Amino acid sequence: MARPTPQSVRRIACIGTGLMGGGWAVHFLAHGYDVVVQDPDPGAEAKLRRLIGRAWPALKSFGVARGATPKRLQFTTSLAEAVEGADFIQESAPERIPIKIKLLAEIDRLARPDVVVSSSTSGFIMSDIYGECRRQARMVVGHPFNPPYLMPLVEVGGGPKTSKDAIDWACRFYERTNMYALKMDVEVPGFIANRLQQALWYEALHMLADGQATVEQLDAALCEGPGLRWAMMGHFMLLHLAGGEGGIDHALAHFGSASDDSGYTHVSKPKMTPKLVEEIRSGVKRLVGRRSYGDLVRWRDANLVGFRKTLAQTKTKAKAKRRVSRTRKPPSKARRR
């Protein structure tokens, strides 16, 4: 049986209704798909519909596909019923290896043999969890970020027995739903973005435990500082701009000593070998393309102005709402009775 093309997908099965599973269901509904959700928990459907109700207004303001509606959701406790007729399957079960192994094997047994099965696992590599599947070639990782219906990144990869075709198919499909499919060339424990997050998280915990900063200071340091820039560029592009007109070459020469262990961070630093320096230089040049330093500065500044205006507006509205709630008179005793 031939695998459906990414553009011919009509029915999607979402297995699990946690934050990720429910978020995936909302995302696919917003893009006009028929979505069948499976969860054995008898209270899962009510929880899922509450999630959809909370998320849908924001999605409508952002823009949903023609014909998209929560009415295209179907809920079932039966795994067989969920995967029957599905053109794509997104598994989002709890993060426990025995559960993942058993569930993926059961999905593999019940689903059409041509359908790609994607796991939302946030840290397990596919080699850890597809061992009991007969059709390992179609098993991929599709790791999203919360909430999947608004966060565009999905990290896509597979195990040694996953076919390149299945990974490429999943990337093309996710991209059709306006996601940024980050294809991993090799199996990376924890994936790429989670590894970066983990290092930052551990450093924050060390500073908190050592009494060097408070929770409020640590969060403000990111939200009011590098977090605004990270919305449009990562460390390597930032280093390029830090080099001024000389770009990445000047930055590497100027900040070269920063590669030595300064002793103030708990994260170990790799040795800046000539090979690593060249990897950085060539990679940044690919990122920059034909854009000049001036082009990049104007792009960065325009985005920062937009971000700060939006954040200022939402903060002003939140303060006004708090003032109204404080000044509103409580009901009289008679009315309370």
Side-chain angles (χ1 to χ4, degrees):
M1 187 180 295
R3 177 173 294 150
T5 61
Q7 57 267 32
S8 68
V9 171
R10 295 291 177 269
R11 180 182 173 91
I12 296 173
C14 290
I15 311 303
T17 59
L19 281 176
M20 289 307 179
W24 273 124
V26 175
H27 172 73
F28 293 132
L29 285 169
H31 284 82
Y33 293 100
D34 294 320
V35 180
V36 55
V37 178
Q38 184 272 342
D39 197 301
D41 184 347
E45 181 177 7
K47 183 177 69 174
L48 174 62
R49 293 193 183 277
R50 287 195 299 271
L51 171 62
I52 295 171
R54 288 192 296 265
W56 206 256
L59 282 168
K60 285 190 72 174
S61 68
F62 187 65
V64 299
R66 182 178 297 178
T69 170
K71 294 180 180 179
R72 297 179 74 166
L73 173 74
Q74 175 189 343
F75 182 86
T76 179
T77 57
S78 167
L79 185 62
E81 183 180 345
V83 302
E84 182 183 6
D87 300 313
F88 176 69
I89 299 169
Q90 186 75 48
E91 172 273 316
S92 306
E95 283 290 285
R96 292 194 286 276
I97 284 184
I99 291 177
K100 294 280 191 187
I101 291 174
K102 182 178 178 181
L103 180 58
L104 286 177
E106 189 66 3
I107 291 171
D108 183 45
R109 184 181 69 82
L110 294 169
R112 292 198 329 249
D114 57 308
V115 172
V116 171
V117 179
S118 180
S119 175
S120 301
T121 176
S122 60
F124 302 138
I125 56 177
M126 184 50 69
S127 295
D128 290 336
I129 55 179
Y130 72 176
E132 295 185 9
C133 297
R134 291 179 57 198
R135 301 178 182 88
Q136 295 174 342
R138 60 153 160 191
M139 296 290 168
V140 304
V141 165
H143 171 236
F145 286 77
N146 188 44
Y149 51 85
L150 289 176
M151 295 288 282
L153 182 64
V154 56
E155 297 179 294
V156 185
K161 296 182 180 179
T162 301
S163 73
K164 181 180 180 297
D165 176 67
I167 295 173
D168 290 342
W169 187 99
C171 288
R172 293 196 304 273
F173 171 71
Y174 284 129
E175 287 166 355
R176 283 189 60 80
T177 70
N178 295 324
M179 300 201 82
Y180 185 96
L182 181 60
K183 184 166 71 170
M184 295 177 286
D185 298 325
V186 296
E187 281 198 301
V188 180
F191 314 131
I192 297 172
N194 268 4
R195 289 275 288 273
L196 296 173
Q197 287 189 133
Q198 196 82 326
L200 186 59
W201 170 237
Y202 285 167
E203 190 65 26
L205 290 179
H206 277 298
M207 294 180 73
L208 187 64
D210 294 342
Q212 296 174 329
T214 65
V215 167
E216 295 87 345
Q217 289 171 331
L218 289 162
D219 270 16
L222 296 181
C223 295
E224 304 295 337
L228 288 170
R229 299 183 307 189
W230 287 338
M232 56 184 150
M233 63 179 75
H235 284 297
F236 295 107
M237 184 67 86
L238 285 169
L239 186 62
H240 175 70
L241 289 183
E245 295 284 353
I248 190 63
D249 293 327
H250 177 73
L252 287 171
H254 183 69
F255 299 114
S257 60
S259 64
D260 300 328
D261 191 350
S262 58
Y264 63 74
T265 176
H266 292 274
V267 180
S268 63
K269 301 178 182 69
K271 185 178 180 181
M272 293 292 282
T273 64
K275 180 181 178 182
L276 182 55
V277 169
E278 184 52 38
E279 285 265 359
I280 296 170
R281 181 180 288 112
S282 59
V284 169
K285 292 186 186 301
R286 290 195 300 272
L287 280 173
V288 171
R290 296 184 178 182
R291 292 177 291 179
S292 69
Y293 175 76
D295 293 335
L296 291 171
V297 168
R298 286 187 289 272
W299 167 69
R300 178 200 63 193
D301 292 354
N303 281 328
L304 286 173
V305 167
F307 296 158
R308 295 194 63 184
K309 280 184 176 180
T310 299
L311 290 170
Q313 290 170 359
T314 56
K315 287 178 181 178
T316 300
K317 289 179 182 178
K319 287 180 181 178
K321 190 174 182 180
R322 286 196 296 270
R323 284 198 297 269
V324 169
S325 65
R326 284 197 299 267
T327 57
R328 187 174 292 150
K329 292 182 178 180
S332 64
K333 291 182 179 180
R335 286 177 60 192
R336 284 201 295 268
R337 287 197 296 270

